[in-house]
Amino acid sequence: MAKLEGKIAVVTGGSSGIGLAAAKKFVEEGAYVFIVGRRQSELDKAKAEIGRNVTAVQADVANLDDLDRLYSIVKDQKGAVDIVVASAGFVERKLTQDATSAHFDKTFGINARGVYFTVQKALPLLRKGGSVVLVSSGLHLKGLPEHSTYAATKAAVRSFARTWAMELKDRGIRVNTLSPGAIDTPIIDSQFKSKEEADGARAFFSSITPLGRIGRPEEMAAAVLYLASDDSSYSTGIDLVADGGITQV
Ligand code: NAP
């Protein structure tokens, strides 16, 4: 029996990496998905890859008008939402001494404020039995240089899940975070000037991960599916760490 039969899901960042892998998995499990991202080209590719039961919505999660438009499209097409996955996010590596206020505002604007309003604006449409999955990062547990703002946004996201788990429990809605370790997606390439440098980072993270490799987006999709589906029916407010052990041992 499919795990998400008849469910309606919104997946921000659903055009790439972890979000795309989750959206694919959701459709395989019987859901209809709305994928969200800024680049239309990536949305078109992702939509073709998912193949069916998908609507692509071009929107920036840092822009509240875009979020209003997203949910009005969802409302018009389906009338309700069962699952929200907030996976849209980005990393800009900066030593604290070099960070500008623009860097700070952009990182918090997308990774923290974007998640906050993605969920707030879904609330009128979220049905009883719903599940909210916030993609945090194992880095919220660490002190990795050049990631002060990024890690802090992910700590904020982890905190949102605790409060929202309480605020939404009486509506039968569960809220959890997923904290991935290093996962092989374009977000790694986006942080480096060349493929060689990015591959160097992949090798470095593999070497410091107890399981000896970085993770695959499909492994994160399995974890997102667990949190989104009734398989995790007794979990709310948790942080599911799926990181090859890097933050845990
Ligand atoms: P990715 O492949 O680069 O995907 C990021 C997705 O977010 C893309 O679809 C991107 O599309 C979208 N996005 C970024 N900014 C957006 C915005 N302002 N509005 C709407 N969509 C936006 O990276 P990923 O690895 O899948 O990352 C997904 C999440 O996992 C992120 O929150 C990231 O912080 C977290 N994470 C990743 C790793 C890892 O190692 N990969 C580890 C821990 C946590 P557009 O650029 O077209 O908007």
Side-chain angles (χ1 to χ4, degrees):
M1 162 94 181
K3 292 181 188 228
L4 300 180
E5 202 56 56
K7 302 286 187 191
I8 313 298
V10 169
V11 182
T12 70
S15 59
S16 179
I18 295 169
L20 173 57
K24 272 197 230 167
K25 190 75 172 165
F26 282 8
V27 170
E28 281 166 29
E29 292 291 341
Y32 190 97
V33 297
F34 290 82
I35 57 169
V36 182
R38 291 164 305 179
R39 288 166 299 163
Q40 190 63 51
S41 56
E42 299 308 295
L43 286 167
D44 292 344
K45 274 191 257 168
K47 189 176 169 181
E49 215 175 305
I50 296 167
R52 66 195 160 99
N53 292 336
V54 54
T55 298
V57 181
Q58 193 275 328
D60 181 345
V61 297
N63 181 321
L64 301 193
D65 291 339
D66 278 12
L67 289 174
D68 286 335
R69 185 171 44 80
L70 161 67
Y71 288 113
S72 81
I73 291 168
V74 175
K75 188 175 180 194
D76 288 350
Q77 284 193 26
K78 296 291 177 186
V81 179
D82 300 292
I83 298 162
V84 176
V85 178
S87 190
F90 91 112
V91 189
E92 191 172 61
R93 301 160 72 105
K94 284 267 180 248
L95 281 173
T96 302
Q97 66 200 31
D98 300 327
T100 60
S101 60
H103 157 82
F104 186 99
D105 291 348
K106 185 177 174 194
T107 306
F108 273 79
I110 295 174
N111 291 1
R113 183 178 180 271
V115 169
Y116 193 90
F117 288 103
T118 293
V119 174
Q120 186 213 56
K121 288 178 178 294
L123 294 179
L125 293 179
L126 261 169
R127 279 198 282 231
K128 189 173 166 58
S131 174
V132 175
V133 182
L134 311 177
V135 181
S136 176
S137 165
L139 280 181
H140 84 83
L141 299 160
K142 305 290 284 183
L144 187 66
E146 298 186 327
H147 291 78
S148 55
T149 53
Y150 177 79
T153 62
K154 296 302 185 177
V157 165
R158 198 278 169 263
S159 172
F160 295 157
R162 293 186 197 276
T163 309
W164 292 339
M166 289 302 288
E167 289 185 354
L168 299 178
K169 68 182 171 54
D170 294 337
R171 289 178 54 184
I173 297 164
R174 298 180 299 106
V175 186
N176 295 293
T177 60
L178 171 69
S179 283
I183 310 301
D184 196 0
T185 75
I187 210 169
I188 297 183
D189 303 283
S190 73
Q191 296 169 61
F192 297 96
K193 289 194 189 73
S194 68
K195 175 148 176 29
E196 289 66 40
E197 267 187 73
D199 286 345
R202 287 181 169 91
F204 170 72
F205 280 113
S206 298
S207 74
I208 61 169
T209 298
L211 291 185
R213 62 176 176 83
I214 61 173
R216 297 186 299 273
E218 295 71 27
E219 293 175 302
M220 297 305 102
V224 174
L225 175 63
Y226 171 71
L227 293 175
S229 70
D230 287 344
D231 280 355
S232 61
S233 55
Y234 200 51
S235 293
T236 194
I238 71 159
D239 183 29
L240 175 58
V241 179
D243 70 345
I246 195 169
T247 64
Q248 302 294 308
V249 296

